[in-house]
Amino acid sequence: KNQVEQSPQSLIILEGKNCTLQCNYTVSPFSNLRWYKQDTGRGPVSLTIMTFSENTKSNGRYTATLDADTKQSSLHITASQLSDSASYICVVSEGDYKLSFGAGTTVTVRA
Amino acid sequence: DSGVTQTPKHLITATGQRVTLRCSPRSGDLSVYWYQQSLDQGLQFLIHYYNGEERAKGNILERFSAQQFPDLHSELNLSSLELGDSALYFCASSVDGRGRVNEQFFGPGTRLTVL
């Protein structure tokens, strides 16, 4: 069973609207949680990295939250743009080296 | 541009063959990671090298092997290829071997098609 579960699997939103992606994990010991954006056919690009003590981190219109107690994270996209259409991957670092990847949420932004 | 380069960009080969994928990390990065991404699966961690030494292994098949050279570039060797090996192979690099808060920078990937 995957230790990092993301929801929804996919979503479609209209340009200018907001959306929130969810990530639940069971990875332990927890080191940090990362959100990546991956355009089709390209390598993932890091959006945010949060350690245990961080509750929220922003990168432009992307805001990630982390609740280490409930082992949940969310990625909020504000005022979506067509260029936000991509797969968003939640990655949890277990200890120093091991990364566990979620299956990703595919976001499609329509004009 | 992440600064990580991968060659070739595309590779088409036949079952049973052997191929080598190459990765050059960002300048100054000592760690190289290899990932496989199939169409119906997310990113799967294969292997991690730090400064020439293997540090961690993920879901890497015995038919696959990797190494990191003194100049820090890395190669992933895939042998006895099967149809199911068709995938995008990504290389990532980071400053050091600790995954704690070290950001990994991904290359553009090599798309392998096994016919």
Side-chain angles (χ1 to χ4, degrees):
Chain A
K1 186 179 188 294
N2 197 354
Q3 296 186 75
V4 180
E5 299 285 346
Q6 291 187 242
S7 61
Q9 189 174 19
S10 63
L11 66 92
I12 300 173
I13 57 173
L14 292 177
E15 188 178 14
K17 298 297 185 183
N18 305 335
C19 68
T20 300
L21 316 179
Q22 300 293 339
C23 173
N24 296 334
Y25 62 93
T26 59
V27 171
S28 182
F30 170 85
S31 179
N32 60 73
L33 185 144
R34 310 153 191 236
W35 282 94
Y36 283 90
K37 178 186 177 187
Q38 185 178 22
D39 293 316
T40 302
R42 306 192 69 172
V45 175
S46 178
L47 295 176
T48 63
I49 302 175
M50 289 182 293
T51 60
F52 185 91
S53 59
E54 295 175 293
N55 301 115
T56 185
K57 186 164 273 191
S58 292
N59 179 358
R61 294 178 298 99
Y62 301 101
T63 300
T65 64
L66 172 65
D67 185 335
D69 291 330
T70 62
K71 298 190 176 181
Q72 295 180 326
S73 176
S74 66
L75 180 69
H76 187 75
I77 305 175
T78 303
S80 61
Q81 300 177 357
L82 296 178
S83 59
D84 293 331
S85 294
S87 178
Y88 292 85
I89 303 170
C90 175
V91 184
V92 181
S93 178
E94 176 185 346
D96 281 354
Y97 307 115
K98 186 177 177 185
L99 297 184
S100 295
F101 288 79
T105 292
T106 301
V107 174
T108 303
V109 181
R110 291 194 173 154
Chain B
D1 184 359
S2 67
V4 178
T5 60
Q6 290 186 247
T7 56
K9 195 170 182 178
H10 300 279
L11 196 49
I12 301 175
T13 188
T15 54
Q17 296 299 306
R18 172 189 169 94
V19 297
T20 297
L21 313 184
R22 182 188 168 101
C23 168
S24 292
R26 293 187 321 153
S27 177
D29 285 359
L30 299 178
S31 267
V32 169
Y33 309 78
W34 285 99
Y35 297 91
Q36 179 192 56
Q37 188 175 40
S38 304
L39 268 179
D40 57 349
Q41 290 189 9
L43 281 160
Q44 300 287 323
F45 167 66
L46 295 178
I47 198 163
H48 167 211
Y49 275 84
Y50 171 72
N51 203 19
E53 293 186 6
E54 181 185 306
R55 275 294 174 89
K57 262 187 176 179
N59 302 320
I60 187 166
L61 301 172
E62 285 191 13
R63 300 184 286 108
F64 296 0
S65 65
Q67 53 184 328
Q68 186 179 28
F69 295 86
D71 67 352
L72 300 178
H73 91 271
S74 177
E75 292 181 355
L76 178 67
N77 300 296
L78 314 176
S79 61
S80 302
L81 285 168
E82 302 175 359
L83 296 177
D85 297 328
S86 295
L88 267 169
Y89 290 85
F90 288 105
C91 164
S93 74
S94 67
V95 172
D96 68 25
R98 297 187 182 86
R100 279 194 284 264
V101 289
N102 255 291
E103 184 173 354
Q104 291 187 20
F105 294 86
F106 283 77
T110 292
R111 181 175 294 280
L112 173 66
T113 302
V114 182
L115 301 175

